Amino acid sequence: MAFRTFEQPSLSRRSLFRGGAYAMAGATLASLPFGRALLAHDVSESWPNVAAMANKYVSEGKVANMLLTFGWGQDDMAHTVGGGTLALNGSTEADMDSLYRIYSMSKPITGMATMMLIDDGAFELDTPLYDIIPAFRDTQVLVDPEGPLDNTVAPERPITIRQLLTHTAGIGYTITSKGPLLDAYVANGIVGGRVSRFPIPGVPNPTPAPGLEVWTNRLASLPLAYQPATKWSYSNSIDLLGRVIEVASGMDFEAFLKTRMFEPLGMTSTWMTVPESEKGRLTDNYGILGETLLPLDPGANSIFLDEPKVPAGGGGLVSSPKDYDRFLRMLLGYGKLGDERIMSEEAVRVGTSDLIPETVDLTGSWMVGQGHGAGGRSVNGTFGWGGAAGTLAAVDYKLGLRTGLYTQYMPSDAYPIRDEYLAALEADVAAMHAGHANHAS
């Protein structure tokens, strides 16, 4: 066993879903003796406010579809709320087998793949990155994260696997970096998830580096934005872990995911490249401009039908709600799906705990009062992450609940869907609680 320590997470009371409403609602639901049984029946009737929220967005044409999933423990099938069609004004209904661009929901998958290799003894959480990829031994650090690339100092400590998993390695990102470092990323094709075959006004459309190895070496040649283990900053680090996995395992990154995770889990609809035969299941992705929806990536002509030059572990996967629910079910089973052991219990427990180094200052970041594990937020017994096209998924270990929200639009903050989902969930639980109290009296 390669883990140096296994510590229970010290988590705040904040919810994974941006606020305390989910935690309070979940605690109430857990106290209801009929709460779990309800999820096994007609879920839309059990969750009328959640269903109304989803139906409102779809009926008003704000999204083509919105599908929410709920599953308990190792129950084989998650149940759904909502619906819609794969495209606006389309006729094919969205369901558990529809294909969604999950973008950064790829991160927990890559994070758990990394935990598998730690479990194998390939490296440890605090192994220096340059022990695996020597090109990072000479990487320097910018004095000013927005300043000139030749104004650098030596790193005070090496980048580690723990830092890569938690976005604390000091690496930049095209969606967070500014100035010369951002320009250098674009010029070197250091990009993550793809969006469209077509140019998008105001959005850089650089040519990706020719392969994950070249992408990695170019990243290593550029300075870090911050000293390692000092600041939380959303980054390229999970994409970089794809190359770490390749080097440490001796397998192509995508082949590793397929062999070690997707096939054992029965995730038969999760790919970097959607097969031509399956494009009929692929949703359209829309850009929100004011109140207008513009087709960014139609399913029939999607960029995800093309093989990516760089397989992006941080944002490159397409998956179905059914497939991703199986991944969540494995996490809830602490590495098991039913009777099948996919990864060790300790690997999951550590990977879903707060792994942020103690030296990191979270001030001003998304993680204030929260924790981060292997590619996902770790808060109050929940673990998960969201995607750039409006998707969201998490497990709640206190409740034994797995949940997902699937839709397709960008940017994800164009609508307050996640906050409205929380409010609807809380309202439904309050009604359940009131109904139970009235029945008991």
Side-chain angles (χ1 to χ4, degrees):
M1 195 66 178
F3 298 110
R4 288 184 179 174
T5 60
F6 169 42
E7 299 177 356
Q8 292 291 341
S10 176
L11 302 173
S12 76
R13 298 298 299 177
R14 285 193 182 186
S15 161
L16 175 68
F17 299 103
R18 300 181 181 177
Y22 178 76
M24 291 186 290
T28 304
L29 178 61
S31 72
L32 302 178
F34 57 85
R36 291 172 183 250
L38 280 173
L39 288 176
H41 296 85
D42 188 328
V43 180
S44 292
E45 292 184 3
S46 301
W47 301 95
N49 286 285
V50 173
M53 182 209 74
N55 293 336
K56 180 176 184 291
Y57 271 94
V58 173
S59 64
E60 293 180 356
K62 291 184 175 180
V63 296
N65 57 75
M66 186 181 296
L67 194 72
L68 297 103
T69 65
F70 297 87
W72 288 107
Q74 290 298 298
D75 287 354
D76 185 57
M77 184 68 69
H79 301 283
T80 64
V81 168
T85 53
L86 300 187
L88 286 171
N89 303 315
S91 59
T92 304
E93 294 186 357
D95 58 24
M96 289 289 284
D97 291 312
S98 300
L99 299 177
Y100 289 82
R101 302 151 191 80
I102 62 172
Y103 285 111
S104 286
M105 275 168 51
S106 306
K107 287 179 168 70
I109 288 176
T110 302
M112 288 302 152
T114 305
M115 298 306 296
M116 286 179 169
L117 285 171
I118 294 177
D119 202 29
D120 291 347
F123 46 76
E124 299 183 354
L125 273 173
D126 296 308
T127 294
L129 174 61
Y130 56 61
D131 283 358
I132 305 167
I133 303 177
F136 281 91
R137 185 175 294 275
D138 299 321
T139 299
Q140 298 293 293
V141 183
L142 288 172
V143 172
D144 176 357
E146 298 180 29
L149 300 185
D150 57 358
N151 186 14
T152 62
V153 295
E156 296 171 359
R157 56 179 67 84
I159 296 172
T160 65
I161 301 303
R162 179 193 298 270
Q163 295 163 19
L164 295 179
L165 287 168
T166 57
H167 299 290
T168 58
I171 295 170
Y173 214 8
T174 52
I175 59 176
T176 57
S177 295
K178 299 178 181 178
L181 185 59
L182 174 58
D183 294 340
Y185 283 157
V186 171
N188 283 277
I190 300 173
V191 296
R194 299 172 291 167
V195 176
S196 177
R197 292 178 189 264
F198 312 106
I200 302 172
V203 178
N205 188 32
T207 300
L212 185 54
E213 181 177 4
V214 174
W215 182 97
T216 298
N217 290 335
R218 290 181 181 180
L219 181 63
S221 72
L222 296 173
L224 301 176
Y226 308 100
Q227 286 286 348
T230 62
K231 182 178 176 65
W232 192 92
S233 183
Y234 206 38
S235 70
N236 283 302
S237 65
I238 309 296
D239 296 297
L240 176 55
L241 281 169
R243 179 59 182 163
V244 170
I245 289 168
E246 285 190 339
V247 174
S249 69
M251 297 176 64
D252 174 85
F253 174 48
E254 292 180 82
F256 183 92
L257 293 180
K258 181 179 179 180
T259 302
R260 292 290 300 272
M261 187 176 294
F262 298 158
E263 289 182 344
L265 283 174
M267 294 174 65
T268 58
S269 297
T270 304
W271 306 282
M272 296 281 182
T273 307
V274 176
E276 184 74 17
S277 61
E278 305 304 315
K279 70 179 183 181
R281 294 196 278 146
L282 184 57
T283 53
D284 285 7
N285 190 22
Y286 294 91
I288 310 297
L289 184 63
E291 297 184 358
T292 303
L293 271 67
L294 303 175
L296 288 179
D297 190 48
N301 192 35
S302 173
I303 193 170
F304 287 92
L305 297 171
D306 301 337
E307 184 177 348
K309 292 184 178 180
V310 179
L317 288 171
V318 169
S319 188
S320 68
K322 180 184 291 184
D323 265 24
Y324 208 87
D325 181 65
R326 294 183 74 81
F327 173 69
L328 298 178
R329 182 179 158 199
M330 182 272 289
L331 294 182
L332 269 187
Y334 291 107
K336 291 182 70 176
L337 183 77
D339 295 328
E340 183 77 14
R341 170 68 64 185
I342 309 300
M343 55 191 294
S344 77
E345 178 177 343
E346 188 173 12
V348 175
R349 286 186 178 273
V350 172
T352 56
S353 70
D354 182 11
L355 298 175
I356 296 176
E358 294 181 357
T359 53
V360 172
D361 180 6
L362 297 176
T363 302
S365 76
W366 301 348
M367 290 295 118
V368 173
Q370 305 187 44
H372 199 284
R377 189 183 271 108
S378 175
V379 185
N380 194 33
T382 62
F383 175 81
W385 201 248
T391 58
L392 176 71
V395 293
D396 187 317
Y397 286 101
K398 292 185 176 181
L399 300 180
L401 178 67
R402 55 190 203 261
T403 59
L405 189 160
Y406 298 89
T407 186
Q408 296 280 259
Y409 69 92
M410 301 178 85
S412 61
D413 60 358
Y415 298 138
I417 284 176
R418 294 177 188 179
D419 291 337
E420 291 180 11
Y421 167 59
L422 288 177
L425 182 71
E426 188 175 16
D428 284 338
V429 171
M432 289 180 195
H433 193 274
H436 174 60
N438 292 336
H439 179 74
S441 63

